[in-house]
Amino acid sequence: MSKVGIIKEFWLFLRVRKKLWLAPIVFILVLLGLLIIVTGNTALAPFIYALF
């Protein structure tokens, strides 16, 4: 199954189950995860971790 298929299936789940309020939460969690992964091995890491 492709990544696009997973995203499409998740969106359909949210729409059918009337759980659209979960979309912003998932979006923020994905952004935070990407931020940690991208800055994990750089000189910015101490500054990013200090925010949390």
Side-chain angles (χ1 to χ4, degrees):
M1 184 178 259
S2 69
K3 291 180 184 179
V4 176
I6 292 172
I7 294 169
K8 182 180 175 185
E9 187 174 339
F10 182 67
W11 177 252
L12 288 173
F13 167 78
L14 292 177
R15 230 178 54 202
V16 170
R17 301 275 195 263
K18 306 288 190 226
K19 303 276 186 200
L20 291 176
W21 56 271
L22 284 174
I25 296 171
V26 171
F27 182 71
I28 296 295
L29 287 174
V30 168
L31 283 179
L32 285 175
L34 288 174
L35 179 70
I36 291 171
I37 290 170
V38 169
T39 61
N41 295 327
T42 65
L44 294 175
F47 301 109
I48 297 297
Y49 291 125
L51 295 174
F52 300 105

